[in-house]
CSV table of all heavy atoms in Angstrom, one decimal:
chain,number,residue,atom,x,y,z
A,225,ASN,N,-2.7,5.4,0.7
A,225,ASN,CA,-3.9,6.1,0.3
A,225,ASN,C,-4.7,5.1,-0.6
A,225,ASN,O,-4.3,4.9,-1.8
A,225,ASN,CB,-3.7,7.4,-0.4
A,225,ASN,CG,-4.9,8.0,-1.0
A,225,ASN,OD1,-6.0,7.8,-0.5
A,225,ASN,ND2,-4.8,8.7,-2.1
A,226,LEU,N,-5.8,4.5,-0.1
A,226,LEU,CA,-6.5,3.5,-0.9
A,226,LEU,C,-7.9,4.0,-1.1
A,226,LEU,O,-8.8,3.9,-0.2
A,226,LEU,CB,-6.5,2.1,-0.2
A,226,LEU,CG,-7.2,1.0,-1.0
A,226,LEU,CD1,-6.5,0.8,-2.4
A,226,LEU,CD2,-7.1,-0.3,-0.2
A,227,PRO,N,-8.3,4.5,-2.3
A,227,PRO,CA,-9.6,5.0,-2.5
A,227,PRO,C,-10.6,3.8,-2.7
A,227,PRO,O,-10.2,2.7,-2.7
A,227,PRO,CB,-9.5,5.7,-3.9
A,227,PRO,CG,-8.0,6.0,-4.0
A,227,PRO,CD,-7.3,4.8,-3.4
A,228,TYR,N,-11.9,4.2,-2.7
A,228,TYR,CA,-12.9,3.2,-2.9
A,228,TYR,C,-13.0,2.9,-4.4
A,228,TYR,O,-13.9,3.4,-5.2
A,228,TYR,CB,-14.3,3.7,-2.4
A,228,TYR,CG,-15.3,2.6,-2.1
A,228,TYR,CD1,-15.4,2.0,-0.8
A,228,TYR,CD2,-16.2,2.2,-3.1
A,228,TYR,CE1,-16.3,1.1,-0.5
A,228,TYR,CE2,-17.1,1.2,-2.8
A,228,TYR,CZ,-17.2,0.6,-1.5
A,228,TYR,OH,-18.1,-0.4,-1.3
A,229,ILE,N,-12.1,2.0,-4.9
A,229,ILE,CA,-12.0,1.8,-6.3
A,229,ILE,C,-13.2,1.2,-7.0
A,229,ILE,O,-13.5,1.5,-8.2
A,229,ILE,CB,-10.7,0.9,-6.5
A,229,ILE,CG1,-9.5,1.7,-6.2
A,229,ILE,CG2,-10.6,0.3,-8.0
A,229,ILE,CD1,-8.2,0.9,-6.2
A,230,PRO,N,-14.0,0.4,-6.3
A,230,PRO,CA,-15.2,-0.1,-7.0
A,230,PRO,C,-16.2,1.0,-7.5
A,230,PRO,O,-17.0,0.8,-8.3
A,230,PRO,CB,-15.9,-0.9,-5.9
A,230,PRO,CG,-14.8,-1.5,-5.1
A,230,PRO,CD,-13.8,-0.3,-5.0
A,231,ASP,N,-16.0,2.2,-6.9
A,231,ASP,CA,-16.8,3.3,-7.5
A,231,ASP,C,-16.6,3.6,-9.0
A,231,ASP,O,-17.4,4.2,-9.6
A,231,ASP,CB,-16.5,4.6,-6.7
A,231,ASP,CG,-17.2,4.7,-5.4
A,231,ASP,OD1,-18.1,3.9,-5.1
A,231,ASP,OD2,-16.9,5.7,-4.6
A,232,ASN,N,-15.4,3.1,-9.5
A,232,ASN,CA,-15.1,3.3,-10.9
A,232,ASN,C,-15.5,2.1,-11.7
A,232,ASN,O,-15.3,2.1,-12.9
A,232,ASN,CB,-13.6,3.5,-11.1
A,232,ASN,CG,-13.2,5.0,-10.9
A,232,ASN,OD1,-13.5,5.6,-10.0
A,232,ASN,ND2,-12.6,5.5,-12.0
A,233,GLY,N,-16.2,1.2,-11.1
A,233,GLY,CA,-16.8,0.0,-11.9
A,233,GLY,C,-15.8,-1.1,-12.0
A,233,GLY,O,-14.6,-1.0,-11.8
A,234,ALA,N,-16.3,-2.2,-12.5
A,234,ALA,CA,-15.5,-3.4,-12.7
A,234,ALA,C,-14.5,-3.1,-13.8
A,234,ALA,O,-14.8,-2.4,-14.8
A,234,ALA,CB,-16.4,-4.6,-13.1
A,235,GLY,N,-13.3,-3.6,-13.7
A,235,GLY,CA,-12.3,-3.4,-14.7
A,235,GLY,C,-11.3,-2.3,-14.3
A,235,GLY,O,-10.2,-2.2,-14.9
A,236,ALA,N,-11.7,-1.4,-13.4
A,236,ALA,CA,-10.7,-0.4,-13.0
A,236,ALA,C,-9.6,-1.0,-12.2
A,236,ALA,O,-9.9,-1.7,-11.2
A,236,ALA,CB,-11.5,0.7,-12.2
A,237,CYS,N,-8.4,-0.7,-12.5
A,237,CYS,CA,-7.2,-1.1,-11.7
A,237,CYS,C,-6.9,-2.6,-11.7
A,237,CYS,O,-6.2,-3.1,-10.9
A,237,CYS,CB,-7.3,-0.6,-10.3
A,237,CYS,SG,-7.5,1.2,-10.2
A,238,THR,N,-7.4,-3.3,-12.7
A,238,THR,CA,-7.1,-4.7,-12.9
A,238,THR,C,-7.1,-5.0,-14.4
A,238,THR,O,-7.7,-4.3,-15.2
A,238,THR,CB,-8.2,-5.6,-12.2
A,238,THR,OG1,-7.9,-7.0,-12.4
A,238,THR,CG2,-9.6,-5.3,-12.7
A,239,THR,N,-6.4,-6.1,-14.7
A,239,THR,CA,-6.4,-6.5,-16.1
A,239,THR,C,-7.6,-7.5,-16.4
A,239,THR,O,-7.8,-7.8,-17.6
A,239,THR,CB,-5.1,-7.3,-16.5
A,239,THR,OG1,-5.0,-8.4,-15.6
A,239,THR,CG2,-3.9,-6.4,-16.3
A,240,PHE,N,-8.3,-7.9,-15.4
A,240,PHE,CA,-9.4,-8.8,-15.6
A,240,PHE,C,-10.7,-8.1,-16.1
A,240,PHE,O,-10.9,-7.0,-15.7
A,240,PHE,CB,-9.7,-9.6,-14.3
A,240,PHE,CG,-8.7,-10.6,-13.9
A,240,PHE,CD1,-8.2,-10.6,-12.6
A,240,PHE,CD2,-8.2,-11.5,-14.8
A,240,PHE,CE1,-7.2,-11.5,-12.3
A,240,PHE,CE2,-7.2,-12.4,-14.5
A,240,PHE,CZ,-6.7,-12.4,-13.2
A,241,THR,N,-11.4,-8.8,-17.0
A,241,THR,CA,-12.6,-8.2,-17.6
A,241,THR,C,-13.8,-9.0,-17.4
A,241,THR,O,-14.7,-9.0,-18.2
A,241,THR,CB,-12.4,-8.0,-19.1
A,241,THR,OG1,-12.1,-9.3,-19.7
A,241,THR,CG2,-11.2,-7.0,-19.4
A,242,ASP,N,-13.8,-9.8,-16.3
A,242,ASP,CA,-14.9,-10.7,-16.0
A,242,ASP,C,-16.0,-10.0,-15.2
A,242,ASP,O,-17.0,-10.7,-14.8
A,242,ASP,CB,-14.4,-11.9,-15.2
A,242,ASP,CG,-13.7,-11.6,-14.0
A,242,ASP,OD1,-13.7,-10.4,-13.6
A,242,ASP,OD2,-13.1,-12.5,-13.3
A,243,GLY,N,-15.9,-8.7,-15.0
A,243,GLY,CA,-17.0,-8.0,-14.3
A,243,GLY,C,-17.0,-8.1,-12.8
A,243,GLY,O,-17.9,-7.6,-12.1
A,244,ARG,N,-16.0,-8.7,-12.2
A,244,ARG,CA,-15.9,-8.8,-10.7
A,244,ARG,C,-15.5,-7.5,-10.1
A,244,ARG,O,-14.4,-7.0,-10.4
A,244,ARG,CB,-14.9,-9.9,-10.3
A,244,ARG,CG,-14.9,-10.2,-8.8
A,244,ARG,CD,-14.0,-11.4,-8.5
A,244,ARG,NE,-13.8,-11.6,-7.1
A,244,ARG,CZ,-12.9,-11.1,-6.4
A,244,ARG,NH1,-11.9,-10.3,-7.0
A,244,ARG,NH2,-12.8,-11.3,-5.1
A,245,LEU,N,-16.3,-7.0,-9.3
A,245,LEU,CA,-16.2,-5.6,-8.8
A,245,LEU,C,-15.0,-5.4,-7.9
A,245,LEU,O,-14.4,-4.3,-7.8
A,245,LEU,CB,-17.5,-5.1,-8.2
A,245,LEU,CG,-17.7,-3.6,-8.0
A,245,LEU,CD1,-17.6,-2.9,-9.3
A,245,LEU,CD2,-19.0,-3.3,-7.3
Side-chain angles (χ1 to χ4, degrees):
N225 170 30
L226 186 59
Y228 201 91
I229 291 171
D231 279 351
N232 272 55
C237 303
T238 178
T239 59
F240 290 129
T241 58
D242 56 8
R244 184 173 176 271
L245 197 57

